Amino acid sequence: MINGAHVLLYSADPEADRAFLRDVLMFRWVDAGEGWLIFRLPPAEVAVHPLESEDDPPEGEHALLGAEFYLMCDDVEAVVQSLKSRQVRCSAISTAPWGKRTTIRLPSGGQIGLYQPTHPTAYDLDS
């Protein structure tokens, strides 16, 4: 039985990004040893999108699928304002057919997505 999913974020500065997830986004965590933090995420869902082109294959030694990481929220403007008050940089909010979106800049310089969906969601379906 599958009982969860584990998301990997590759970072040029993992310690800073771990501190960001812990201290700014306030995700609960466990220490797997030697400061290797594993964070509890909000409820999640997965969607399968086509590759943009045949020249855009999945990368990696084991040919894992490419992925993007988005956090979801009910009010993207309010979340961006809350993050701004904690000195977090977000990109301009834009509207897509599937919701309002922005990106959150991590201390390492990497970015993760944040969006307010306008599509039906699956993360709160009853088991």
Side-chain angles (χ1 to χ4, degrees), residues 5 13-14 19 33 36 42 54 74 84-85 89 93 95-96 122 124:
D13 190 347
W36 197 277
E54 290 184 26
D74 293 327
K84 186 176 179 180
S85 74
R89 291 184 12 207
I93 297 170
T95 302
D124 56 355

Side-chain angles (χ1 to χ4, degrees), residues 10-70:
Y10 292 94
S11 173
D13 190 347
E15 292 81 14
D17 289 345
R18 288 177 190 137
F20 180 85
L21 294 173
R22 181 191 64 220
D23 302 335
V24 177
L25 297 184
M26 296 180 275
F27 288 169
R28 294 176 56 196
W29 52 273
V30 296
D31 189 332
E34 300 179 25
W36 197 277
L37 305 184
I38 299 175
F39 295 91
R40 181 183 184 278
L41 292 176
E45 57 187 35
V46 63
V48 179
H49 293 246
L51 291 173
E52 295 297 321
S53 73
E54 290 184 26
D55 297 329
D56 192 17
E59 295 182 20
E61 180 181 331
H62 302 289
L64 294 172
L65 293 175
E68 294 184 20
F69 181 65
Y70 277 85

Side-chain angles (χ1 to χ4, degrees), residues 71-109:
L71 297 171
M72 299 168 74
C73 64
D74 293 327
D75 184 343
V76 72
E77 288 94 353
V79 173
V80 167
Q81 284 302 318
S82 175
L83 291 170
K84 186 176 179 180
S85 74
R86 292 180 260 164
Q87 312 307 312
V88 176
R89 291 184 12 207
C90 296
S91 65
I93 297 170
S94 62
T95 302
W98 41 268
K100 293 181 181 181
R101 67 179 175 169
T102 185
T103 58
I104 299 169
R105 170 90 49 187
L106 298 175
S108 66

